[in-house]
Amino acid sequence: MRTFLTALGIAVAVAGAVIFLSLGEGIRRVFSDQLANLGPDIQVTFGPASASFFPTSPDLPAHYLTDLQAAAEELGIRSVVPALLYVRGGLSPSQSFIFEGLPTSVELGDLFHGANAVSGRLLTPADEGAGVAIIGSSAAERGRLGLGSVLRLNPNVSLEVVGVVSAGGGLLDNIIVAPLTTLQRAVGVTDRYSLLAVASAQPERATEVAAAIQQRFPELGAQTSSELFTQVNTSLKVSDMIRLGISAIALIVGAIAVANTMMMSVFERTREFGVIRAVGARPRFLFGLVLAESSLLSLAGAAVGVVLGRIGVYVVNRVAYDYVGLHVALLTPRLVGFAVLVALGMGLLSGLLPAARASRLPVAVALARE
């Protein structure tokens, strides 16, 4: 029973490490996919640029749109698209949605690579100001919505779904796109935007264009998709260290449990070890025997822990998909191999002291032990 409980403790520790570390892998993949599907080269916000590629606060004065358009040729800008973001919370994940207001004259594919209508149609210039919207496929599935469904933003504004769209699992799949003026009317903001999506005339010079925008308008923040991903990746590395620290604590506790079990086993089997030595076994045989038992115990717990971790990742992804329409945990072969190697190392280190004690037992003392 003691051995079983020790193996179970190791399994729980390994499962926790697998789940924590898989969150880092999954979140990094999510950000990579989301940023890869964003068409604009540069995102302009009010105030210093930050690591957030989803600024929901509409604090960017509208006059900067015309200012940037007026300086487009000088700064190397091809187009500037205003966007208004609005998050509507609900009592359940199926009632929570992210809305993005965009001018209907803009091609959706210019902002989201690979955007296409799964059913229904896309927005047209004639829809500007109308109570219509298109919804991402993941958001539609999560909210059980389809063509003809009506979304009520407030007592005065409702949106009818006229199309279901997808961009291959990117950001578009999880939001609702409405005409810009319609969403402005719904939230009561007509003179500000959340951000400006800027496309440079030469995409390879996006970093230079972003720097030129910030020099021309110091009160604005401009960052390219690659810069944004770098900032996000730095933040994720910090969170990786936190998750690794938490996982290490759990694994150390598991290692102590293994050491305790093996030490108790050595005490209880002292006479048995004396008999083995008396019939000719060398000290290194006992050392290897105890070390092998410790390693096997850890590996057995690791095997169960990987299975439990896989189940935990599935549960986390199901919950996350219900809330945000994304799978935020990713279990990779690298993580599985890491968990098994750590468990093996934990077993070897935990068994060293008990193994050394077993190998140093004097034969006469061991045989006299009751």
Side-chain angles (χ1 to χ4, degrees):
M1 178 59 68
R2 183 174 63 238
T3 302
F4 170 76
L5 292 177
T6 301
L8 183 60
I10 298 171
V12 172
V14 171
V18 166
I19 294 173
F20 275 116
L21 296 178
S22 67
L23 282 172
E25 295 287 332
I27 294 173
R28 186 170 283 104
R29 182 193 62 178
V30 166
F31 274 106
S32 178
D33 292 344
Q34 303 301 330
L35 292 175
N37 283 328
L38 292 178
D41 307 314
I42 305 166
Q43 176 177 285
V44 176
T45 55
F46 190 69
S50 66
S52 173
F53 72 98
F54 200 73
T56 56
S57 176
D59 54 5
L60 179 63
H63 69 83
Y64 284 109
L65 173 61
T66 55
D67 292 345
L68 283 174
Q69 289 173 336
E73 185 175 353
E74 177 186 348
L75 297 176
I77 295 174
R78 178 168 56 86
S79 65
V80 184
V81 178
L84 179 66
L85 300 171
Y86 170 67
V87 178
R88 193 194 76 176
L91 297 177
S92 67
S94 61
Q95 297 175 337
S96 301
F97 298 103
I98 302 170
F99 293 85
E100 181 166 6
L102 295 171
T104 55
S105 58
V106 176
E107 290 289 336
L108 201 61
D110 292 340
L111 296 176
F112 303 96
H113 292 310
N116 64 89
V118 177
S119 61
R121 64 177 178 86
L122 300 178
L123 297 179
T124 65
D127 292 322
E128 192 63 57
V132 295
I134 55 176
I135 186 171
S137 56
S138 296
E141 179 183 353
R142 189 170 65 253
R144 296 180 176 84
L145 300 172
L147 296 180
S149 298
V150 176
L151 295 166
R152 191 175 181 85
L153 289 179
N154 59 45
N156 300 319
V157 180
S158 296
L159 302 177
E160 180 185 353
V161 177
V162 297
V164 178
V165 296
S166 175
L171 178 64
L172 180 62
D173 290 37
N174 295 284
I175 65 175
I176 298 171
V177 179
L180 177 60
T181 53
T182 302
L183 192 58
Q184 284 180 318
R185 186 174 71 252
V187 300
V189 176
T190 59
D191 59 345
R192 287 168 294 161
Y193 306 118
S194 297
L195 61 90
L196 297 175
V198 176
S200 57
Q202 296 177 313
E204 66 275 9
R205 297 184 61 247
T207 302
E208 299 175 27
V209 175
I213 292 174
Q214 287 192 302
Q215 185 176 4
R216 181 71 173 269
F217 305 98
E219 62 277 14
L220 298 181
Q223 56 186 344
T224 64
S225 297
S226 59
E227 291 172 339
L228 183 58
F229 184 73
T230 300
Q231 293 184 28
V232 170
N233 197 43
T234 301
S235 300
L236 288 176
K237 286 181 179 179
V238 174
S239 66
D240 285 344
M241 294 303 297
I242 296 173
R243 282 190 294 270
L244 188 60
I246 296 174
S247 302
I249 293 173
L251 292 173
I252 290 173
V253 172
I256 294 173
V258 173
N260 178 68
T261 296
M262 297 311 302
M263 188 63 76
M264 291 297 297
S265 176
V266 169
F267 275 119
E268 293 173 352
R269 297 156 65 191
T270 298
R271 183 176 178 82
E272 174 188 337
F273 288 158
V275 173
I276 294 175
R277 287 289 311 282
V279 297
R282 294 180 178 274
R284 65 171 177 268
F285 172 79
L286 291 179
F287 184 89
L289 177 65
V290 175
L291 206 60
E293 289 180 0
S294 174
S295 300
L296 287 174
L297 179 60
S298 296
L299 286 176
V304 177
V306 169
V307 175
L308 292 177
R310 179 68 186 87
I311 296 173
V313 168
Y314 172 78
V315 173
V316 168
N317 280 334
R318 289 294 301 176
V319 174
Y321 190 83
D322 287 340
Y323 275 91
V324 296
L326 296 170
H327 292 149
V328 298
L330 177 64
L331 182 60
T332 63
R334 181 171 65 93
L335 283 183
V336 173
F338 174 76
V340 173
L341 286 177
V342 168
L344 178 59
M346 183 173 63
L348 290 172
L349 291 175
S350 303
L352 285 177
L353 182 60
R357 178 179 176 79
S359 64
R360 291 199 303 264
L361 284 172
V363 177
V365 174
L367 289 174
R369 181 74 174 268
E370 290 296 335

